[in-house]
Amino acid sequence: MTSGALRTTSAGLPGSADPLVTAYDLAVLDLDGVVYVGPDAVPGAADALARARVAGMALAFVTNNASRPPQAVVDHLVRLGVEAHLDDVVTSAQVAARMLAERLPAGSPVLVVGGEGLRITLVENGLRPVGTMDDAPVAVVQGFSPDIGWRLLAEGTRAVRAGLPWIASNLDMTFPTPHGPAPGNGALVGAVAAAAGRRPDDVAGKPAPGSFHEAARRNGSTRPLVVGDRLDTDLEGAVNAGMDGLVVLTGVSTASDLMLCSRAVRPTHLGRDLDALHAAHPVVDPQEVDGRATATSGDATVASDGDVLSVVRPGEDALDLLRAGCVAAWTVVDAGRAPDVTAVLAALATLEPEAPWAR
């Protein structure tokens, strides 16, 4: 585990008496669903990140989107009012290209089933991107691009069926858009895998730990905090990297996802958005009261009656209710059973009826 981490193996939330910007020296930030959604900034994100830098927290932007080169990511962030530099950005394309460069002779041709971000970083790592099997590639790399069509997927299938080493930048099944989730690289990799009859040999991006370790290495961090919206990539990656994780509710993961999640993807802290970096976080531990597991956060209390969660006190803050609901639910999950979280979801919907995450 990374020095200074607070990650717990219990069913609770360990909390932080200090604001996260002072408890950790680096925020390893996902982008889609955390800093922006599509072309637009998450409300308040730019201001929260600017204040984090002022407080002395370093920022790294780690993305599984392999379609854009790092400079395009920087340009996008700057347009949204977020200070960013090339060294701040770690893409799954960079990690994939580095993995291939460590395994192949310089100048090796690599079939790219993806976009410009992959091609540029392959060249930067001394490899030669190609687009057809007629160029005799010695490996295949696949990453998300909105412009991938059937012909390129077919060419990738041809290469994979021929037995070439195959690295996927990431396996995200969905890609966030302003209109909701759309097919991601995992879905496109799945199409090639189904046609070729095998899975990728390796995966570069989250939830593999390589991107997180690279971000910590660049910044000399001993107390990094992973910040993401997805349990199955960002938070699972944090667990795999031995780092603490903050989940924010501005993207993919919902209250149901959080309450039903296993230890393998469980966050250390919960927050509505990036303002959570500037707050202390309560300790929430399960307690046994009158023979049932009970969790309290703020003035919200949730208990598990067997496998059914009940809201003892909803409180006034939906986030406190969610924290208490998670900890009560995790005692059931960790016993190998599926909790019934209906009552908590109903109470969350009453407290914040317009919140898309409260479901």
Side-chain angles (χ1 to χ4, degrees):
M1 182 178 294
T2 303
S3 174
L6 303 172
R7 177 162 291 282
T8 178
T9 56
S10 77
L13 291 165
S16 173
D18 298 317
L20 301 184
V21 290
T22 55
Y24 299 91
D25 62 3
L26 170 68
V28 184
L29 296 137
D30 178 51
L31 289 172
D32 297 308
V34 175
V35 181
Y36 53 68
V37 176
D40 302 318
V42 170
D47 177 67
L49 294 177
R51 288 186 288 125
R53 285 195 189 273
V54 170
M57 177 178 255
L59 306 180
F61 302 99
V62 176
T63 177
N64 267 1
N65 183 351
S67 65
R68 297 189 299 171
Q71 186 61 57
V73 176
V74 170
D75 293 343
H76 185 183
L77 289 169
V78 170
R79 283 197 302 274
L80 298 178
V82 177
E83 179 184 345
H85 311 278
L86 271 179
D87 284 348
D88 297 335
V89 177
V90 180
T91 73
S92 61
Q94 289 177 316
V95 179
R98 188 171 301 112
M99 291 168 65
L100 286 166
E102 290 171 352
R103 303 174 188 183
L104 301 173
S108 294
V110 177
L111 178 68
V112 177
V113 184
E116 189 67 12
L118 273 174
R119 288 189 286 271
I120 288 174
T121 195
L122 283 172
V123 171
E124 290 174 345
N125 280 270
L127 300 172
R128 181 165 60 89
V130 300
T132 173
M133 279 290 282
D134 295 337
D135 291 323
V138 296
V140 186
V141 62
Q142 182 169 359
F144 178 78
S145 170
D147 301 318
I148 289 179
W150 180 88
R151 293 186 184 279
L152 189 52
L153 290 173
E155 202 67 18
T157 301
R158 178 184 170 195
V160 170
R161 286 179 63 87
L164 296 188
W166 179 23
I167 290 181
S169 67
N170 67 289
L171 296 178
D172 295 11
M173 291 304 295
T174 60
F175 185 86
T177 77
H179 310 292
N185 195 54
L188 300 175
V189 168
V192 174
R198 69 181 180 95
R199 301 292 298 171
D201 300 296
D202 216 335
V203 180
K206 301 173 288 187
S211 298
F212 302 107
H213 290 158
E214 173 65 14
R217 183 195 64 78
R218 289 186 191 181
N219 288 277
S221 171
T222 59
R223 293 176 290 116
L225 175 69
V226 174
V227 185
D229 68 307
R230 299 181 67 109
L231 295 178
D232 59 347
T233 53
D234 305 322
L235 277 300
E236 184 177 352
V239 173
N240 291 339
M243 298 176 181
D244 285 5
L246 165 67
V247 67
V248 293
L249 302 171
T250 49
V252 171
S253 293
T254 65
S256 296
D257 297 329
L258 283 160
M259 286 189 283
L260 299 176
C261 74
S262 71
R263 291 175 186 267
V265 299
R266 198 165 287 170
T268 318
H269 309 290
L270 306 181
R272 280 186 177 83
D273 52 33
L274 288 175
D275 275 340
L277 292 172
H278 300 278
H281 289 249
V283 177
V284 186
D285 283 326
Q287 308 290 329
E288 187 166 319
V289 179
D290 298 329
R292 59 182 184 169
T294 302
T296 296
S297 178
D299 56 359
T301 300
V302 176
S304 60
D305 299 297
D307 296 345
V308 180
L309 299 195
S310 60
V311 179
V312 180
R313 294 192 306 273
E316 298 181 357
D317 185 340
L319 189 61
D320 273 330
L321 178 57
L322 177 58
R323 288 184 176 117
C326 283
V327 172
W330 293 344
T331 64
V332 180
V333 172
D334 289 351
R337 304 189 304 273
D340 181 341
V341 300
T342 305
V344 180
L345 293 176
L348 287 170
T350 299
L351 286 173
E352 292 201 18
E354 302 302 319
W357 57 264
R359 63 184 192 278

